[in-house]
Amino acid sequence: MGFTNLVQYSGNQKILDCANINFGGQTRYTAAYGYIIGYNYLGDAVLPPGPYFWHSPKKLSEAGTNVILADANHWGTDGFKIAPHSKRGGVIETVAGKPTSFTRTLPGVTARDIGAEGGNVGYLDGSVIWKPIAKMATNRAFSSTFYLGNW
């Protein structure tokens, strides 16, 4: 079932959103990355080989320890960062008068640098755990300049 079907059946696209992420003026869809939903759906991703890339589950019959969902602790070398879970909730930056979780000018390189405390990680077996940021590993996605964060 795709994004469009979920929105149609639920009646509201916000059913897919992380409550700690403020989208502000952020575009929710791009052809390059698909839909931004406030967390990472990690199934059936096509990833280039290289350091920090993870194994993306292709079938439900794969090992239950495979991560299928993760909170959006993101960062890129262009200054872009998301930290949905800090000591005071999601980290917010005001851009053009609108509060947003999609920060671009806060100091530091990673989500951890701006206060990320950790995130929820969902596995194929249906279990979900909270992982402190110190116990998460870096995972790269899309390019050498964008990190899909930690899990």
Side-chain angles (χ1 to χ4, degrees):
M1 178 180 293
F3 178 84
T4 305
N5 290 341
L6 284 170
V7 171
Q8 176 185 353
Y9 293 123
S10 71
N12 187 336
Q13 74 180 21
K14 289 188 178 258
I15 193 170
L16 300 172
D17 292 351
C18 170
N20 280 10
I21 292 186
N22 183 326
F23 285 87
Q26 177 67 40
T27 301
R28 295 187 60 103
Y29 175 81
T30 67
Y33 304 115
Y35 288 93
I36 297 173
I37 55 178
Y39 58 90
N40 302 309
Y41 171 70
L42 306 169
D44 202 23
V46 178
L47 301 168
Y52 305 114
F53 287 101
W54 75 97
H55 171 75
S56 173
K58 306 288 184 208
K59 302 177 199 171
L60 287 175
S61 59
E62 290 189 44
T65 57
N66 281 336
V67 174
I68 194 71
L69 297 169
D71 274 325
N73 289 303
H74 297 307
W75 64 93
T77 57
D78 62 353
F80 170 76
K81 295 178 271 305
I82 301 174
H85 301 288
S86 74
K87 288 183 181 181
R88 295 184 182 99
V91 174
I92 300 292
E93 178 178 43
T94 301
V95 177
K98 293 183 179 181
T100 180
S101 297
F102 297 81
T103 68
R104 289 182 167 72
T105 63
L106 298 178
V109 175
T110 69
R112 184 178 188 171
D113 293 340
I114 61 171
E117 295 281 311
N120 296 297
V121 178
Y123 295 90
L124 278 175
D125 66 4
S127 64
V128 177
I129 64 164
W130 170 264
K131 274 185 136 177
I133 197 83
K135 292 190 177 188
M136 293 179 158
T138 299
N139 296 281
R140 184 176 287 158
F142 307 124
S143 73
S144 62
T145 61
F146 184 76
Y147 294 86
L148 242 171
N150 316 88
W151 50 86

